[in-house]
Amino acid sequence: MANVKMFKLLGVMLALMLIVWAISPFVTHKPITTEVLATAIILILIAIAYFIILYNPSWTKAVFFFEGIVIGVSGYMLLDYPYSVEFVIVGLIIIIIAVLAYLQKLPPKILKWFYR
């Protein structure tokens, strides 16, 4: 049976992998486009959010809300038309889920992820 320390270690490894994946186009000297910038911003912020949630689970709702804002705004500002609308919609869905979690209006099976 796995213990909590092992899950935290795997979480840290996942977050570091996301950061490396985000900065790899800059290190390998690939052309920097707005899609690369949007992807890097989103991946790095998801990794930082994952670090925060791993070590302070009570911040899950706030971090989820912030991630929704970041995904929506960076997608809208940096991507072209069809993708920008999709990212705004995904960001709004994440924000709505975070607000419903704050209000405790989600089903109990989903709320258990926000209240540990």
Side-chain angles (χ1 to χ4, degrees):
M1 189 163 137
N3 57 13
V4 174
K5 213 178 223 187
M6 181 60 130
F7 282 121
K8 283 191 176 185
L9 179 64
L10 290 173
V12 168
M13 288 174 36
L14 174 67
L16 291 175
M17 184 185 73
L18 287 173
I19 292 173
V20 168
W21 193 9
I23 62 172
S24 66
F26 301 103
V27 175
T28 58
H29 303 293
K30 292 185 179 175
I32 306 301
T33 62
T34 55
E35 287 85 8
V36 171
L37 286 174
T39 304
I41 290 169
I42 291 170
L43 286 176
I44 289 173
L45 288 175
I46 288 173
I48 292 170
Y50 204 71
F51 275 130
I52 292 170
I53 292 171
L54 272 175
Y55 292 104
N56 196 351
S58 64
W59 284 24
T60 304
K61 297 175 294 298
V63 169
F64 206 62
F65 183 78
F66 177 71
E67 286 297 321
I69 293 171
V70 167
I71 288 172
V73 170
S74 64
Y76 179 73
M77 298 296 288
L78 297 173
L79 298 176
D80 291 333
Y81 169 66
Y83 302 112
S84 64
V85 174
E86 292 171 6
F87 271 80
V88 168
I89 291 171
V90 169
L92 284 174
I93 290 170
I94 292 172
I95 291 169
I96 290 169
I97 291 171
V99 169
L100 290 174
Y102 269 117
L103 298 174
Q104 297 184 358
K105 299 291 183 183
L106 293 172
K109 289 185 178 184
I110 297 174
L111 273 178
K112 72 178 180 179
W113 295 103
F114 292 100
Y115 292 96
R116 294 187 242 169

